[in-house]
Amino acid sequence: MRSELHYDAVVIGAGVAGLVAGTRLAEGGARVCVLAKGVGSTHLAPGTVDVLGYAPERVDEPGRAVGELIAARPDHPYALIGIETIGEALAWLAERVAQGPLHGYRYVGGLERNHLLPTAVGVVRPSTLVPETMAGGDLRAGGPVCIVGSPVLRDFHPSLCAANLVRAGVDARSVELTFEVDRADQNALGLARRFDDPSWRAAFASQLAPRLQGEERVGLPAVLGSTDPHGAWSDLEERLGRRVFEIPTLPPSVPGMRLFEVLRSALRANGGRLVLGSEVVAAERADGRVVSVSGHASGRDVRYVAPSFVLATGGFASGAIELGSDWVTREQVLGLPLRGEPPAGEPRFVGEYLTEQPMARVGVAVDAQLRAEGAENVVVAGAALPGAVPWRELSGEGIAVASGHRAATVILSRAAAGAAA
Amino acid sequence: MASLTTDVLVIGGGATGTGVAWDAALRGFEVVLVDRADLSEGTSGRFHGLLHSGGRYVVKDPRAAEECIAENGIVRRVAADCIEDTGGLFVTTPFDDPEYADRFVAGCRATGVDCEEIPVAQAIRQEPRLNPGISRAFRVPDGNIDAWKTIWSMARGVTERGGRVMPYHAAVAIHRDGDEVTGARLRDTRSGEEVDVEARMTVNAAGAWAGRVADLAGIEGVRILPGRGIMIAMNHRLVNTVVNRCQMPSDGDIIVPIRTVSVIGTTDQHTEDPDDQTVMQSEVDAMLDDGEKLVPGFRRARALRVWTGVRPLFEDAKASDTDTRDVTRAHALLDHAERDGISRFVTITGGKLTTFRLMAEETMNAVCAQLGEDRPCTTTTQPLPGSEGGQHYRLGERLERKEQHLREEQLICECELIPRSKLEATLRRTGTMNLDDIRRLLRLGMGPCQGGFCIYRATGVLHGLDGLTAEQADEALLHFLQERWKGVWPILYGDQLRQARLDDWIFQGVLDVEHLPS
C-alpha cells in the first residue's frame, strides 16, 4: 500500500539550506515537510557561517567583497541572491539561534568584517557569523594565546596548531592535559557530552588553571558542551578567569550539530515536519513541473504532493549530483539539467591538488529566481547551486543560509500572488 | 666526505635488490643496500600484488612459467607471512577464444604448473560475482604477495645481520679503476651529503632504471624497455580468488584480491622514461570495461586509487618497439666481466616480483664466482624475519588483533587499523618525516577515506615527536595530500568523487591548509 501526503511545499535535503528554507516557509504559514536521506553537512562543517573568506585573497570585509564578486561573476549564486538577502538571512539566522533551544547560545558577527579564527592546524581563517564560543579566538585582538588539548582527542593537535600560529605571527603556545577515559578512541562529540557535566568542567578547569600564564586566552577544540554550550563555555570562562574559545576540528562537528538542533527546533516550532531517513527515489513530472516525489523509508514509498519544491540536496559530496563511470554528470534526485561542467574533451580534474578543479563549479541550472531549468516549481538552494567553489572561497554556509532564505521568499511570494489572483 | 667499505654494494631497493642484499647477508657478506628513494618505491611497490602460479605464461613464455611455479612454492614457504593463499582461477569468458583453454592445459602440463579444471558451477559458487557466461574454469596456485612487507622483512634481516640499508641515497657516480668497478658515490637526496662506498662487488639492481646505473659505470648497451601499465584498486574484494581470463596475456585480464581491495591490471604502454607515471583516461576506461567482462557490475563498484608501474624489460632482438608484452618476462643477469670486460660489477634486471628470490640467488652466485668464493645460497630454506611461523596472512588478521585492544589503543587510521603507538614507534624507528614512507610501511591513508581523517592526525603525531618544526610538519602534510591526490584524480567518479569532495571540505574548508604560513 502506498500512502500520499499533501503539503504546500516540500523541501528535499536537511542541511543548512533545506532547514533554513523549510523553517522560513513554515514561519510564512506554509504547511511544509523537509524530507531527507540523512542529516546534511552540518555535522561535518565547522558550524560557522562563512560568507566569503577568500576572493582569492583573504577577505576582511565580506559585504564589500561579495559586492565585488557579484559584479565580477554573474554566474555566482550570490549574484542571483543579492547582497540584501544575504544580510537579511544572516540576521534571521542569528535571531533563530538566540531564540533557540540552546539557552543563551548565540552567533555574533556580520557582513562588515570577518573574524580571523584559528583552525585546528593553526591557519588564521576568515569567518563571518560565528558562535560566541568561538568569537574569543579572533586573532585581530592580539595578545597571547594558549591552545589546549589532550592526547585523548586524536582529532586535535594543540602543539601543531600553536606552532603554526607562531609562524603566522601570533604569540601562541600549547598545553596538553591528560584525563582518564573509558576508551582510547574519543571523538569530539563524546568529549562534548562530558563538558555538559559541571563536575567534569570543574575538574578540567582545576587541572588547566595552574598551567596558564599572564593574559593568555585559551583555545580548546570545539567540544564545549552539546546540550548547553553557552553554560559550559561561560562556566569555563568564569572558572579560568579569562577568555575561552572553541576551535573547530575534524568531524563530527559539535558546533555544526548545535546549529542543526537550532534549525530543527525552529522548523518544528512553526509546525514544519522533518522526515529523515527517507530518500527520494522517484518524481512525478507534468508540464514542466514536479507534481510529487516519492520518499522511500522503512521498506515503503510515500508520495509527497506539493505545488512547490525546494531542492537543497547538496552537490557531489552528498551524492545528489554524481559523475558516473561513463563520465556523465547527473542530478540524481529529479534528473534536472546541470551547469558549470568543463567543455567536452577538457580535463575534469587536474593533477595539482590545491588549485581550482575544473569540475568544482558544477550545479543545477537555475534562473534568476533560483528556479530549476525545466521544472519551474522547483527552487534550488545550497550546494546544489552552480557557480561557486565554497570550500575554497569559504562561502558554503553563506550560500546555504542566503539561498535557503531566498528560496522560501520565492515560494511564499508566488503563493501570495496565486492567492491574490 | 664520509666513506664506507663493504663486500657487496647493491644499488636498487626493490624486491630484487633487497633480495640480493638478503641473500648476500645470509652468505655472510657485508652488504650495503641503497636506493635513490624509499625501498619499494619503484616497480616492486607498484604492481597488482600477484604471486604468479605461472599460468599466465604457460603458452606464451614457458620458461617464465617454469620459473614462476618453482619460485611460487619456495616463496610461499620462506615469505609465508607476506602471502595470502587465495588460489587462482583461469576462466574462459564469452570474450575469449574458446580454443585457448586446451592450449592452456597443455602448457600447464608442459611447464609443471598445477592446474585442475573445475565445473563452471563450482567456480561461480566460489566467486559469485564472476561473469555467469564463462564456459570453462581452471584452478591454479596463484596467490597474493605483499611486496612492501616482503621487502621490509628482508631489509630487517639484512640490518639484523650487520648490513646497512640506506634509502634516499642515489648513486651519482660508479667508481672505476681501469677495468674494475670499485664502488660508488652516493648522495643523500634529503640532505645533499655525499658518501663514497668502496665495495668488492657492486650489483646494479635498479630495475627499470638499470640502464642509467650501467651508464654511470661507463657500460653501454644495457637497454631497458620500460613498459608502463596502470592498475586500479577497487574498494572491495570483488573476488576472493585471483581471477585471470583464459587467453593470451593481455590488458585488463586479471583481478587480484589483496588486503581489503581488489586490483585490476594492467595496460602496457611503451615509454622512454621509467619515471613516467601518466594515467590516461582511455586506459582507465579500458580497465573498467575489462573489469565488466570478468565481473559484471564492475563499473558500479568504487575505484579507490590508480597507479602506474613500469616493467623493467630487458631488450630482446625479437621484441617490437611498441608491444613490450612480447619481451620475455624472464630476467636477465649481465656479468659485465664476461659481457664488457669490466669486472666486479653485475646487472640484474627484468623478471617479476614472484621470481625475486631466484634472481637474487643467481646474482649472488655470479658475485661469488667473481670473488672466487664458494658460499652456498640458503634463501630457499631460510624464512624471512616474521615468517618463521610458516603461517600465511589471513584477511581479517589485523582487525582480530585490533579488537583485542579496542579500548586501550587509539587508532590514527581507522581504515587500515593503525594504532597511535605503532605510528609513533615507526616514526621514531625510521626517523622519516615523509608520511608517504609511513604509507608504505603501515598502509597509512590507503583505505576508503583516502587520508581524510588520518592525515591531520598523523601530522599532529609527527609534529609531537622530538625536534620537528611546524614547517617540516606542514610540508609532510601538504606532500602527503598531494601524493594521495595523484592516485585518485584520474579515477574520480561515483563514490570516490564524493569522498574526495568530503576531504576537500575537511582540508580546505575546515582546516584551510592552503593558507598554511609559508
Side-chain angles (χ1 to χ4, degrees):
Chain A
M1 199 189 76
R2 257 170 53 135
S3 53
E4 189 171 292
L5 297 168
H6 291 255
Y7 289 94
D8 294 330
V10 168
V11 178
I12 311 170
V16 171
L19 290 170
V20 168
T23 304
R24 277 260 298 145
L25 283 162
E27 288 175 354
R31 286 176 304 126
V32 61
C33 177
V34 176
L35 188 62
K37 188 166 77 173
V39 295
S41 61
T42 41
H43 293 47
L44 306 169
T48 54
V49 179
D50 303 331
V51 171
L52 191 62
Y54 295 102
E57 295 305 312
R58 192 168 79 194
V59 169
D60 291 325
E61 298 170 45
R64 208 171 57 125
V66 167
E68 288 165 11
L69 177 72
I70 287 173
R73 291 208 70 128
D75 60 330
H76 194 280
Y78 283 149
L80 306 180
I81 297 164
I83 188 79
E84 295 78 16
T85 298
I86 301 170
E88 278 170 39
L90 294 186
W92 178 91
L93 182 74
E95 210 177 297
R96 296 302 166 284
V97 177
Q99 293 164 357
L102 299 177
H103 330 288
Y105 186 65
R106 59 193 190 99
Y107 273 42
V108 296
L111 287 174
E112 309 74 45
R113 198 159 284 279
N114 273 331
H115 299 85
L116 290 179
L117 305 181
T119 74
V121 76
V123 171
V124 180
R125 180 185 185 280
S127 198
T128 310
L129 182 68
V130 308
E132 58 177 352
T133 54
M134 293 182 197
D138 197 329
L139 298 165
R140 290 174 303 172
V145 172
C146 182
I147 308 296
V148 177
S150 166
V152 160
L153 183 62
R154 61 191 166 176
D155 292 335
F156 188 74
H157 293 270
S159 73
L160 178 62
C161 176
N164 270 319
L165 288 175
V166 169
R167 289 184 76 194
V170 178
D171 177 6
R173 66 180 190 104
S174 65
V175 161
E176 300 230 23
L177 303 180
T178 51
F179 337 95
E180 287 294 309
V181 283
D182 55 351
R183 65 174 288 171
D185 288 334
Q186 296 287 327
N187 69 20
L189 182 60
L191 279 183
R193 290 187 177 129
R194 289 170 194 273
F195 275 94
D196 282 335
D197 172 5
S199 62
W200 164 271
R201 293 198 297 264
F204 178 85
S206 65
Q207 196 189 145
L208 177 59
R211 302 187 61 182
L212 298 172
Q213 303 166 358
E215 297 297 300
E216 278 173 345
R217 286 181 280 164
V218 176
L220 290 162
V223 299
L224 298 185
S226 64
T227 55
D228 181 17
H230 174 77
W233 165 73
S234 41
D235 180 39
L236 268 185
E237 285 210 328
E238 202 171 304
R239 286 176 189 278
L240 295 170
R242 52 183 80 230
R243 299 236 52 190
V244 170
F245 60 93
E246 292 186 302
I247 302 171
T249 188
L250 298 186
S253 163
V254 173
M257 292 163 94
R258 294 175 197 147
L259 181 59
F260 177 80
E261 274 314 310
V262 164
L263 289 170
R264 171 158 75 176
S265 155
L267 172 70
R268 286 183 171 162
N270 287 283
R273 183 172 175 227
L274 175 65
V275 182
L276 289 178
S278 181
E279 183 176 4
V280 171
V281 291
E284 186 191 348
R285 302 177 64 154
D287 306 326
R289 294 167 63 83
V290 170
V291 177
S292 72
V293 297
S294 294
H296 184 83
S298 310
R300 64 178 194 142
D301 288 352
V302 178
R303 193 161 161 256
Y304 295 83
V305 186
S308 298
F309 292 84
V310 176
L311 185 76
T313 43
F316 288 103
S318 67
I321 299 177
E322 187 173 284
L323 175 62
S325 75
D326 55 1
W327 311 109
V328 176
T329 311
R330 299 175 185 86
E331 191 278 303
Q332 298 284 81
V333 183
L334 301 174
L336 297 169
L338 297 167
R339 189 193 288 163
E341 279 189 85
E346 298 284 310
R348 296 177 193 87
F349 301 97
V350 294
E352 186 191 341
Y353 178 58
L354 289 175
T355 189
E356 182 174 328
Q357 300 294 329
M359 283 292 281
R361 293 178 191 264
V362 176
V364 177
V366 292
D367 67 10
Q369 301 284 304
L370 304 183
R371 289 179 307 194
E373 214 170 79
E376 54 108 11
N377 66 331
V378 175
V379 188
V380 182
L385 288 168
V389 192
W391 58 94
R392 302 191 82 226
E393 299 165 354
L394 302 185
S395 63
E397 299 79 11
I399 291 170
V401 172
S403 62
H405 192 277
R406 174 107 173 101
T409 305
V410 168
I411 290 172
L412 289 170
S413 55
R414 251 169 54 129
Chain B
M1 188 186 306
S3 66
L4 287 170
T5 308
T6 188
D7 291 330
V8 182
L9 168 66
V10 184
I11 301 169
T16 308
T18 312
V20 170
W22 168 237
D23 187 309
L26 285 177
R27 295 191 205 214
F29 288 109
E30 278 182 18
V31 58
V32 172
L33 171 68
V34 305
D35 196 285
R36 62 172 193 161
D38 195 13
L39 297 188
S40 73
E41 208 172 318
T43 309
S44 301
R46 308 187 137 266
F47 79 131
H48 40 38
L50 176 66
L51 178 70
H52 278 275
S53 61
R56 285 178 70 76
Y57 303 126
V58 292
V59 174
K60 190 165 195 170
D61 194 345
R63 191 180 133 208
E66 284 166 2
E67 284 179 4
C68 281
I69 189 63
E71 285 303 304
N72 179 301
I74 297 167
V75 174
R76 273 168 191 267
R77 281 199 314 272
V78 297
D81 185 47
C82 309
I83 283 163
E84 186 190 348
D85 187 15
T86 60
L89 288 172
F90 277 76
V91 295
T92 305
T93 73
F95 308 94
D96 302 323
D97 173 10
E99 308 282 302
Y100 182 84
D102 290 332
R103 293 169 67 199
F104 172 77
V105 173
C108 286
R109 203 167 295 137
T111 54
V113 173
D114 302 330
C115 164
E116 178 199 354
E117 180 155 17
I118 60 171
V120 167
Q122 188 182 335
I124 304 269
R125 262 202 308 281
Q126 186 176 332
E127 290 301 339
R129 285 178 192 261
L130 272 185
N131 188 333
I134 63 175
S135 52
R136 297 182 76 178
F138 304 90
R139 190 182 274 165
V140 295
D142 283 342
N144 74 48
I145 177 163
D146 185 330
W148 292 339
K149 204 168 171 183
T150 308
I151 288 168
W152 285 102
S153 297
M154 292 192 292
R156 205 173 101 203
V158 168
T159 22
E160 282 168 5
R161 282 160 181 78
R164 291 192 58 158
V165 177
M166 300 168 69
Y168 295 105
H169 279 78
V172 290
I174 304 278
H175 296 316
R176 287 253 309 258
D177 180 4
D179 290 339
E180 295 193 339
V181 168
T182 57
R185 175 163 301 174
L186 311 175
R187 182 178 296 143
D188 184 327
T189 57
R190 296 179 291 195
S191 70
E193 281 169 34
E194 297 195 340
V195 54
D196 270 328
V197 181
E198 199 183 313
R200 293 168 67 201
M201 281 294 298
T202 299
V203 176
N204 170 13
W209 295 263
R212 293 184 183 175
V213 173
D215 282 346
L216 287 179
I219 290 167
E220 288 169 5
V222 179
R223 258 204 81 193
I224 311 295
L225 282 181
R228 182 173 61 75
I230 75 161
M231 278 136 285
I232 302 177
M234 309 302 285
N235 191 29
H236 295 96
R237 299 266 289 214
L238 296 173
V239 288
N240 282 303
T241 311
V242 175
V243 177
N244 303 266
R245 276 170 64 183
C246 195
Q247 59 164 13
M248 282 298 231
S250 178
D251 286 355
D253 61 352
I254 179 165
I255 303 177
V256 181
I258 181 163
R259 300 282 180 173
T260 53
V261 301
S262 24
V263 179
I264 186 161
T266 174
T267 52
D268 189 19
Q269 298 284 331
H270 176 67
T271 177
E272 287 301 322
D273 177 9
D275 290 313
D276 181 1
Q277 294 188 3
T278 313
V279 175
M280 295 187 296
Q281 173 90 68
S282 57
E283 290 178 288
V284 171
D285 279 326
M287 281 302 99
L288 297 178
D289 286 340
D290 289 331
E292 283 288 330
K293 292 173 184 167
L294 275 168
V295 173
F298 192 87
R299 273 182 172 276
R300 288 199 301 276
R302 173 170 163 188
L304 197 54
R305 61 188 173 273
V306 60
W307 65 93
T308 51
V310 177
R311 301 175 185 85
L313 302 175
F314 184 60
E315 188 175 35
D316 186 298
K318 282 186 292 187
S320 76
D321 253 4
T322 49
D323 188 2
T324 55
R325 189 171 280 110
D326 285 335
V327 182
T328 178
R329 289 297 202 261
H331 52 269
L333 173 65
L334 308 178
D335 185 326
H336 295 291
E338 289 170 14
R339 183 179 182 270
D340 310 283
I342 295 178
S343 62
R344 295 167 62 188
F345 188 63
V346 294
T347 293
I348 176 75
T349 187
K352 63 194 75 58
L353 197 121
T354 300
T355 58
F356 76 90
R357 192 216 58 84
L358 175 66
M359 293 163 72
E361 176 180 351
E362 290 181 6
T363 305
M364 282 310 299
N365 288 347
V367 165
C368 285
Q370 281 211 30
L371 291 174
E373 302 209 27
D374 180 21
R375 305 195 196 183
C377 174
T378 57
T379 56
T380 54
T381 51
Q382 175 67 44
L384 269 47
S387 287
E388 297 84 353
Q391 296 294 313
H392 289 314
Y393 170 82
R394 277 181 306 106
L395 186 65
E397 238 178 58
R398 217 164 171 160
L399 181 61
E400 199 173 287
R401 277 201 302 271
K402 169 61 198 160
E403 279 184 329
Q404 291 165 5
H405 306 283
L406 204 56
R407 291 192 166 267
E408 308 95 78
E409 258 185 356
Q410 196 176 55
L411 282 182
I412 295 300
C413 173
E414 284 134 316
C415 302
E416 294 288 346
L417 303 169
I418 302 167
R420 185 180 190 132
S421 55
K422 185 155 191 179
L423 174 64
E424 286 175 343
T426 308
L427 286 167
R428 285 214 178 83
R429 178 168 59 77
T430 60
T432 186
M433 288 179 276
N434 183 341
L435 293 174
D436 208 43
D437 293 351
I438 299 298
R439 178 178 70 91
R440 280 181 288 274
L441 282 166
L442 300 182
R443 308 184 65 81
L444 181 80
M446 296 279 285
C449 91
Q450 287 293 294
F453 286 79
C454 68
I455 294 179
Y456 169 68
R457 294 172 183 161
T459 307
V461 170
L462 179 69
H463 179 255
L465 295 178
D466 309 329
L468 204 66
T469 65
E471 284 90 336
Q472 289 166 321
D474 295 346
E475 196 187 313
L477 184 150
L478 293 172
H479 176 255
F480 198 50
L481 267 181
Q482 177 60 42
E483 281 297 302
R484 296 285 69 207
W485 180 251
K486 193 173 84 183
V488 299
W489 73 267
I491 44 118
L492 281 183
Y493 63 83
D495 282 344
Q496 190 65 349
L497 174 53
R498 196 174 167 191
Q499 180 70 56
R501 193 53 61 83
L502 290 171
D503 292 351
D504 289 342
W505 275 107
I506 290 175
F507 289 106
Q508 301 184 48
V510 178
L511 299 173
D512 197 6
V513 300
E514 191 173 356
H515 298 96
L516 278 165
S518 55

